[in-house]
Amino acid sequence: MYEWVKALHVISVIAWMAGILYLPRLYVYHANAEPGSELSETFKVMERRLLKAIMTPAMIASFVFGFWLLWLIPDWMSEPWMHAKLACVFAMAGIHGYLAAIRKRFEADSNTKSHTFYRVLNEVPTVLMVVVVILVIVKPF
């Protein structure tokens, strides 16, 4: 059972990360689009579908399978690397929520941030992902 749950966890994390890395990139381009333009409206559809059809279900699945793994191997909760990993995962979930709030601002044509802001924001999930992978594979502490 463990191998199946782990495989499903990794699959859902990959899907979540794909979306959480792509959505800010869409915002980079959307920030340069004229509000109300055909291009802006196209970005709105893309952003909504990515968030609601891929990212949010993948995030939920990541948490479900992740907690299932913790239930299968409860000793992991005594490991410091797991505490650090969970902190990073909850930070990633916070970024997910922030990206969802940004989508609502774009939807209302009320974005005030520049494309540069979204380029920088795009790097935060990347850094968290690198830290999580190192924690899980290397288990440095």
Side-chain angles (χ1 to χ4, degrees), residues 115-136:
H115 65 93
T116 306
F117 172 82
Y118 296 115
R119 286 182 196 280
V120 173
L121 179 62
N122 192 216
E123 302 309 318
V124 176
T126 304
V127 171
L128 285 171
M129 177 188 63
V130 169
V131 171
V132 167
V133 169
I134 290 169
L135 288 167
V136 171

Side-chain angles (χ1 to χ4, degrees), residues 64-96:
V64 167
F65 294 123
F67 284 125
W68 193 347
L69 287 170
L70 286 175
W71 180 75
L72 289 171
I73 310 195
D75 290 347
W76 281 349
M77 282 309 297
S78 65
E79 298 291 335
W81 65 267
M82 179 57 75
H83 294 211
K85 177 201 174 194
L86 289 173
C88 290
V89 169
F90 286 118
M92 191 78 74
I95 291 167
H96 181 111

Side-chain angles (χ1 to χ4, degrees):
M1 176 68 82
Y2 166 77
E3 287 82 10
W4 281 104
V5 176
K6 184 165 73 169
L8 292 170
H9 179 63
V10 170
I11 291 165
S12 59
V13 167
I14 289 170
W16 184 26
M17 287 308 306
I20 212 163
L21 294 172
Y22 184 49
L23 188 58
R25 179 58 47 188
L26 288 175
Y27 293 162
V28 167
Y29 302 124
H30 196 165
N32 289 326
E34 186 68 34
S37 68
E38 183 178 341
L39 181 59
S40 178
E41 296 305 310
T42 299
F43 280 126
K44 289 177 186 180
V45 171
M46 293 171 68
E47 293 156 1
R48 184 182 68 250
R49 288 180 181 169
L50 177 61
L51 187 67
K52 297 202 180 257
I54 296 171
M55 288 174 60
T56 299
M59 179 185 67
I60 292 167
S62 295
F63 274 93
V64 167
F65 294 123
F67 284 125
W68 193 347
L69 287 170
L70 286 175
W71 180 75
L72 289 171
I73 310 195
D75 290 347
W76 281 349
M77 282 309 297
S78 65
E79 298 291 335
W81 65 267
M82 179 57 75
H83 294 211
K85 177 201 174 194
L86 289 173
C88 290
V89 169
F90 286 118
M92 191 78 74
I95 291 167
H96 181 111
Y98 182 61
L99 292 173
I102 291 169
R103 189 199 70 76
K104 289 181 180 179
R105 285 196 290 263
F106 272 114
E107 185 71 33
D109 291 325
S110 62
N111 173 57
T112 58
K113 306 288 187 193
S114 71
H115 65 93
T116 306
F117 172 82
Y118 296 115
R119 286 182 196 280
V120 173
L121 179 62
N122 192 216
E123 302 309 318
V124 176
T126 304
V127 171
L128 285 171
M129 177 188 63
V130 169
V131 171
V132 167
V133 169
I134 290 169
L135 288 167
V136 171
I137 302 299
V138 178
K139 297 176 180 65
F141 47 85

